Structure formats: C-alpha cells, structure tokens
Amino acid sequence: MTVGGGSALAMFSGVTSASGPIATEALTAPTGLTATGTPTIALSWAASTSPKFTGTRVFRATTSGGPYAQVAQLASVATTTYSDTPGSGTFYYVVEAYYSGGGANWTSPMSNQASAQVPYPAHVADGQGTQTTAPFSTAAAAEVVAFVGSDGPSPSPAQTVTVSGAGLAWSLVVRTNTQLGTAEVWAAHAATALTNVTVTSTQSSGNYYQSLTVVAFQGLVGTGATGTANAGSGAQSVSLTTTHPESVVYGVGDDWDAASNRTLGPGQTMVHQYEPPVGDTYWAQYRTAAVPVSGTNVTLNDTAPTTDRWNYSAVEIRAS
C-alpha cells in the first residue's frame, strides 16, 4: 500500500547552484519497495526518477502506517538496497528520496510500505513425563508464552498440565482437552531481561509424552483473545477475533491418534512439531504476519490429516 508521510512535494523551481538552476520538477518518490529475509531483512526499491537527488532515507516502524523512525540515510543515489537486522517481530518500512545542496533541503513523498517478520526464537522440550527447556535468556522485558501439547489418560480424568519456572508467575490462558490429551497456552510477564532461565511443564496425570514450546515475545505486552476447538475427526481449525492492532496469533494442538505431519493452511508457519513413538502429534504454529486491525477474525488451520481426534487452542499476543 502507499503510505503518506510528513514529506511535502519538493519543487526545485528557483533553487540554484554554482552551475545554475537544479530542476523545475517535483522530487518523485522511490517505488517498488520490498522487504525479504530473516533475521536480516533485505530492502530493495527503484530509485526516484527525478534528474537530481542526493540520496535515500530508510524508515522503520513496528505498526503499519507508522509512526516511522529513520534507520539510515544513504548518500549514494545509486544505492537502492539496504540490510536491516531489527530483532524479532513484524517490521514496516518506507523510503524517501532527498536533495540537500545549494541551501535547499527537499524530500519526496514516501514510497509504498513493505513489511517483513523476524520469527521469535522458540525454546523446546519434548519427551515422556515432565519436560524442561534448556536455559535461555532475553535482551529485555518480554511476554513469555508456553505452548503445550500432551498425551493423556484413557478414560478420564482429562489430562492437564501446569507450567512453571523462570522465576515468573504463570497463568493458564486457554486449555482444550475435550478429546484425549490436551492443548494448552500459559503465559507470564517478565518485567526485566531474563538470564539463563528454564521453563517446565508438568502433567496432572501419568507419565505421558508431551511437547513444550516456549516463546519470549520481546516488545509485546500481553495476551488477548483466545480460541478453542476440538473434533473426533476432520481438518484442524481454530479461530479468534483480535482485540488490539498489530497482534500476533499462535496456536497449539494435539492429535491423539497418529504421528502425522500437519499440512498448514495459507499464511501460516510451523514453530515446532513433535511425533513421539506412541503415535501422537503435538505442534505449535502461528499466523506468519501480524494482524494490523483490531476486530479481525483470524483462523489457524491444518488441511491434513483429516481422520484423527484433535484438540486445538489459539491465543492473541498483543502489541499494545
């Protein structure tokens, strides 16, 4: 999309240098901006078509449409690429051409906006019985979220898990255990950076297989909407409606019947998948792009397999 910024059309009429008038046309915006790659994001664009300009400025934001902060000023007009390593999250970029000289400072309108997502690192523990992640650290405060898929007893009572560790106060966000096993999301807020901490998932019943995936969302502030779904067969699908802009949406599931790779729906990425020897599958996945608008209905889904029993929980992690 095209994003307007504070830059005005730069009319060169009347601006002169030692060699005479510079130009009498508007300074045009760069076009065709793209953003690709992770963890380093490669930006590329087509230069301004104005006859003379000094260079290009690069701007980055964490919300669609800004506000933007300048991250680079490229002095060469021949430069139409830039590499940025901003950390984890979803990032939005625009660029603008500028002219500086002869007592004038002009800027073009901003280019189209391009975005890219750098995945948050996942800390995983798989196996039978209680599971604990390897030690991990964060560079800053974070919303720490645990996604747990577990086998469970047959018949009842239904399986549940409890998450603890990292010196944090953990709370259950959403649990789905109508079918055998359980799919749960737990969360805790780390007010400061974490150093060499571990997180543990403990089952309420038995010594069953489980998968624990922990993600520390630096720059995000808490959990929001949740979704829960289960079925005795059919493709796996769970939905929620976001409550804040720029949220990310994650889900966790358990398939009690078979060890089988999920076939993800469009626009989604697998975080981790575990197929233990007992013939189950536990997995965590997320919507690849952040959801710009509050009130958006978001579905996480897998198109295959379609013959197994499953539990599926989803959560919104808020940017504001």
Side-chain angles (χ1 to χ4, degrees):
M1 73 182 192
T2 300
V3 178
S7 302
L9 283 176
M11 298 300 296
F12 282 141
S13 179
V15 179
T16 60
S17 69
S19 59
I22 295 174
T24 57
E25 63 179 67
L27 184 59
T28 61
T31 58
L33 177 66
T34 61
T36 58
T38 181
T40 298
I41 298 172
L43 303 176
S44 180
W45 61 91
S48 170
T49 58
S50 298
K52 292 188 178 182
F53 65 95
T54 306
T56 305
R57 296 187 182 99
V58 180
F59 298 85
R60 181 180 68 217
T62 55
T63 58
S64 179
Y68 297 102
Q70 184 175 315
V71 294
Q73 179 164 308
L74 309 178
S76 171
V77 297
T79 299
T80 57
T81 61
Y82 181 72
S83 295
D84 188 36
T85 307
S88 299
T90 301
F91 301 95
Y92 301 87
Y93 295 90
V94 294
V95 296
E96 67 179 13
Y98 70 92
Y99 171 80
S100 179
N105 290 284
W106 302 110
T107 57
S108 76
M110 287 182 174
S111 70
N112 62 294
Q113 177 179 268
S115 65
Q117 185 177 59
V118 180
Y120 296 89
H123 311 282
V124 174
D126 299 322
Q128 190 171 10
T130 298
Q131 294 298 304
T132 300
T133 66
F136 65 91
S137 301
T138 66
E143 190 69 17
V144 188
V145 184
F147 305 91
V148 186
S150 173
D151 196 355
S154 177
S156 59
Q159 181 70 284
T160 64
V161 301
T162 301
V163 174
S164 60
L168 303 175
W170 289 87
S171 298
L172 175 66
V173 178
V174 58
R175 171 184 288 144
T176 307
N177 60 357
T178 302
Q179 305 297 322
L180 292 169
T182 189
E184 305 190 12
V185 179
W186 289 69
H189 179 69
T192 60
L194 301 173
T195 303
N196 293 326
V197 299
T198 62
V199 174
T200 297
S201 174
T202 305
Q203 296 160 325
S204 64
S205 179
N207 191 41
Y208 294 90
Y209 283 91
Q210 65 167 312
S211 178
L212 167 64
T213 300
V214 178
V215 181
F217 295 94
Q218 296 178 63
L220 302 186
V221 298
T223 58
T226 61
T228 178
N230 75 92
S233 65
Q236 305 87 61
S237 180
V238 63
S239 298
L240 58 78
T241 300
T242 60
T243 59
H244 288 71
E246 304 302 333
S247 295
V248 297
V249 177
Y250 276 60
V252 60
D254 83 277
D255 176 338
W256 194 83
D257 285 316
S260 178
N261 288 340
R262 307 295 99 175
T263 301
L264 301 186
Q268 298 165 69
T269 300
M270 184 67 75
V271 182
H272 178 65
Q273 185 169 234
Y274 174 51
E275 299 174 13
V278 293
D280 295 343
T281 308
Y282 317 117
W283 74 97
Q285 67 190 84
Y286 67 97
R287 177 186 164 107
T288 306
V291 185
V293 180
S294 176
T296 301
N297 183 265
V298 178
T299 296
L300 296 176
N301 71 302
D302 307 300
T303 59
T306 60
T307 58
D308 304 340
R309 287 168 281 188
W310 51 269
N311 296 303
Y312 207 171
S313 294
V315 63
E316 170 194 20
I317 300 100
R318 300 186 293 109
S320 62

